[in-house]
Amino acid sequence: MFIKQFRLSQQEKDRLIRIKSRTGIQNWNVLCRWAFCWSLSQPTIPGGLVPASDSNVEMTWQTFGGDCDEIYEAVLRQRCLRDGLGDSPEVLTKYFRLHLNRGINYFSMPGEKKSKEKFLMEVIERQDHALENED
């Protein structure tokens, strides 16, 4: 396990609140998983600075990943290696936070209201597209 727990930024928390109200999904960890997976499906490496940890929303890696925490870590590790970043604990922590932040930012953008179904379908469609491109 490369990270024991993490805290969201206030901006991420505020955006997740908006996503919760749009989708009806009430669990932070579920929304974070979907945002993380959506970002991993993007072909580019997320940029920017690691978001501040200045909100009161904190979760453990086990809470984030649930029964699949080892799978999420393996997928992140593979993505970092594929991107040429390495897989040290520092790199994994940094890029986990950057992927999570990019996904949260994307799903909180104004525009068409995303229902639970549309939210999930977008994640699945991006993943299917990414898998097709690997063949």
Side-chain angles (χ1 to χ4, degrees):
M1 180 182 334
F2 68 96
I3 186 173
K4 290 187 189 289
Q5 62 188 29
F6 62 95
R7 184 183 302 261
L8 297 175
S9 71
Q10 186 61 45
Q11 185 178 46
E12 289 169 322
K13 176 186 172 185
D14 294 342
R15 289 178 176 178
L16 282 170
I17 290 169
R18 283 195 298 274
I19 296 168
K20 285 170 75 171
S21 70
R22 285 186 198 164
T23 64
I25 300 166
Q26 294 302 309
N27 297 331
W28 300 103
N29 59 331
V30 172
L31 293 171
C32 287
R33 288 176 198 163
W34 289 4
F36 175 68
C37 288
W38 178 87
S39 180
L40 287 174
S41 74
Q42 300 304 299
T44 59
I45 300 170
L49 300 173
V50 173
S53 298
D54 58 354
S55 79
N56 62 350
V57 177
E58 184 173 46
M59 70 181 80
T60 66
W61 179 255
Q62 179 63 44
T63 298
F64 168 80
D67 292 339
C68 298
D69 65 321
E70 292 176 357
I71 294 170
Y72 288 113
E73 182 174 348
V75 170
L76 175 63
R77 184 178 306 278
Q78 181 60 35
R79 173 64 190 262
C80 286
L81 289 170
R82 188 184 85 195
D83 289 343
L85 303 168
D87 67 345
S88 70
E90 295 80 18
V91 165
L92 294 175
T93 299
K94 176 181 179 179
Y95 283 92
F96 166 68
R97 290 295 287 121
L98 289 174
H99 277 290
L100 179 60
N101 183 261
R102 176 166 68 175
I104 291 170
N105 288 341
Y106 174 77
F107 283 115
S108 68
M109 290 188 324
E112 180 182 346
K113 180 180 176 186
K114 290 182 175 27
S115 66
K116 281 188 276 197
E117 293 78 16
K118 287 184 180 184
F119 189 82
L120 182 56
M121 287 308 299
E122 190 159 342
V123 171
I124 291 170
E125 287 170 6
R126 276 308 283 165
Q127 187 60 36
D128 286 346
H129 180 68
L131 291 173
E132 289 171 5
N133 288 337
E134 286 184 6
D135 293 338

